[in-house]
Amino acid sequence: LLLLMVVVALALALVVCCVANKLSCSCSSDYLSLCILYLLLQEPIITSSFMFAAIVVVSIAILLPFGKRVAALEEGIDSNGYDDVMVEEWKQAPLHQQRLFGERCDLDRITTMEGWKQYKKVGRTDPVVLVNLRNNSVFQDMCKRSNLLSSYGNTTVLLSSANTHSYETKNMQFSAYVDEEVYPRTLTDEAKKTWYFFGNNDYNVWANFTVHYVKPEYKYDRDPFFSFGIGGSGSGVPFHTHGAVFAEVLHGAKRWFLTAPDHRPRFDPNETSQRWLEYVLPTYTQGELDNLLECTLYPNEVLWIEAQWWHMTLNLGDTVFISTFL
């Protein structure tokens, strides 16, 4: 901005030089810089013009960030002192975790609104993936690491332990969670000591954030509950059940394992998803495997799960996601 100020001021002085034709110099003079300097020192009008241009540019430099801050406040988003933070964006899964990715998807992918309407019309209850049925690019941009830290860096969030019933909870500053807890998890991690930001969003803090999310097309009987979350690569939640939900990935990827309500999977509720994948899944019988569905979701894909379906999640890379509970 300082360089811009100098360029604008000198350009203005140059214009005055050419128009007023002061001295014997011209706009193409080999001594143009000396000519302008002399004019600045000798001509009060040009000196005043230079000062005016400098004031304008400096004012823009000061007021522009302030204007962005006001706009953010009008949206209900408080930067919490992280306006100018410089951070990396969400990371992909490291090479040693590539083994966690799955190639198969046992679920139907619905790519048209007509297909989604037909699914509901015939009364299907199996999980399906909705692909590109809405545009959430604005919300995805809001969910970049830098933007979230800028808006919510000093916000206190409630974390849950990453076991089936989330027995333990604790409060942590959002920026501290992102910096200290969102990292590639290992097989030695304990579920009860792995902290996860999901499901316990403070409505008063996050309501003005989730309002920008374009929820899936559905005949809602009441306003849905949005649950926003972030997890490091290799993190996730063991098998559990709850009411019907739409689950969308905004950044990263999430691998899902599912079984029907009447087929309880074999798992330890206090073991991490990664340990289940490594040590328990290989011991499944063919009958157990026949009841197990899996699919990996990426951005712009939404998983629809009917109530009480068993499901387990595994994040692949830093993963940002949101669930719409009916």
Side-chain angles (χ1 to χ4, degrees):
L1 288 173
L2 179 61
L3 178 61
L4 178 61
M5 177 189 72
V6 173
V7 170
V8 170
L10 289 178
L12 183 58
L14 175 60
V15 171
V16 175
C17 168
C18 294
V19 173
N21 196 23
K22 299 290 184 179
L23 302 176
S24 59
C25 68
S26 66
C27 292
S28 60
S29 171
D30 292 335
Y31 303 98
L32 181 59
S33 59
L34 293 177
C35 172
I36 294 175
L37 180 61
Y38 181 84
L39 288 171
L40 292 175
L41 295 175
Q42 297 297 323
E43 298 293 333
I45 295 179
I46 298 177
T47 302
S48 299
S49 300
F50 180 89
M51 294 301 297
F52 175 76
I55 292 172
V56 169
V57 174
V58 171
S59 298
I60 292 174
I62 295 174
L63 294 177
L64 186 59
F66 178 76
K68 291 181 178 180
R69 168 71 170 159
V70 170
L73 290 175
E74 289 177 346
E75 289 288 336
I77 300 173
D78 188 358
S79 70
N80 295 292
Y82 275 80
D83 295 50
D84 301 317
V85 69
M86 296 297 292
V87 296
E88 297 179 358
E89 295 302 342
W90 302 116
K91 294 184 175 67
Q92 296 181 349
L95 289 177
H96 70 273
Q97 287 192 342
Q98 295 301 310
R99 60 183 176 78
L100 300 180
F101 283 78
E103 297 182 356
R104 55 182 269 212
C105 182
D106 304 316
L107 311 181
D108 288 342
R109 278 187 159 90
I110 297 177
T111 59
T112 66
M113 191 59 68
E114 184 59 36
W116 174 228
K117 291 178 180 179
Q118 183 64 23
Y119 167 92
K120 293 182 290 183
K121 182 178 180 180
V122 299
R124 288 175 58 181
T125 60
D126 56 312
V128 292
V129 180
L130 311 179
V131 183
N132 288 321
L133 296 192
R134 306 111 56 252
N135 183 356
N136 260 310
S137 58
V138 172
F139 191 70
Q140 286 175 326
D141 186 70
M142 293 174 66
C143 292
K144 289 181 178 178
R145 190 174 188 268
S146 54
N147 291 338
L148 285 173
L149 285 175
S150 175
S151 299
Y152 297 100
N154 283 341
T155 299
T156 298
V157 294
L158 182 63
L159 309 179
S160 304
S161 56
N163 43 11
T164 293
H165 303 293
S166 301
Y167 304 106
E168 304 293 334
T169 61
K170 76 171 183 177
N171 290 316
M172 180 178 279
Q173 189 179 60
F174 179 69
S175 60
Y177 171 73
V178 171
D179 292 337
E180 300 170 16
E181 299 291 340
V182 181
Y183 62 87
R185 295 293 177 169
T186 69
L187 288 170
T188 60
D189 288 331
E190 297 180 61
K192 65 181 180 180
K193 295 182 179 179
T194 301
W195 297 105
Y196 206 41
F197 174 51
F198 176 65
N200 290 301
N201 309 143
D202 185 334
Y203 179 81
N204 293 325
V205 174
W206 295 91
N208 288 324
F209 172 71
T210 56
V211 71
H212 297 281
Y213 175 66
V214 182
K215 63 181 180 291
E217 178 68 29
Y218 191 81
K219 186 177 181 180
Y220 297 94
D221 294 329
R222 58 182 178 179
D223 290 338
F225 172 74
F226 297 113
S227 185
F228 177 73
I230 300 169
S233 190
S235 65
V237 179
F239 281 101
H240 60 285
T241 64
H242 47 61
V245 66
F246 290 100
E248 178 165 2
V249 173
L250 301 163
H251 293 277
K254 186 183 289 285
R255 190 175 179 183
W256 293 77
F257 293 89
L258 310 99
T259 63
D262 55 345
H263 290 287
R264 189 182 193 278
R266 177 161 52 93
F267 72 102
D268 183 338
N270 291 312
E271 289 281 15
T272 65
S273 300
Q274 193 173 168
R275 289 181 62 83
W276 177 88
L277 180 66
E278 185 76 14
Y279 300 121
V280 181
L281 180 60
T283 69
Y284 263 38
T285 65
Q286 187 58 51
E288 290 174 310
L289 292 174
D290 290 342
N291 293 322
L292 185 67
L293 303 175
E294 78 160 270
C295 190
T296 300
L297 265 67
Y298 297 89
N300 301 318
E301 296 185 331
V302 181
L303 176 63
W304 163 247
I305 310 175
E306 287 278 2
Q308 303 310 311
W309 270 73
W310 290 95
H311 55 281
M312 185 202 80
T313 61
L314 181 64
N315 296 315
L316 307 171
D318 293 347
T319 304
V320 184
F321 46 93
I322 188 169
S323 293
T324 305
F325 287 90
L326 274 58

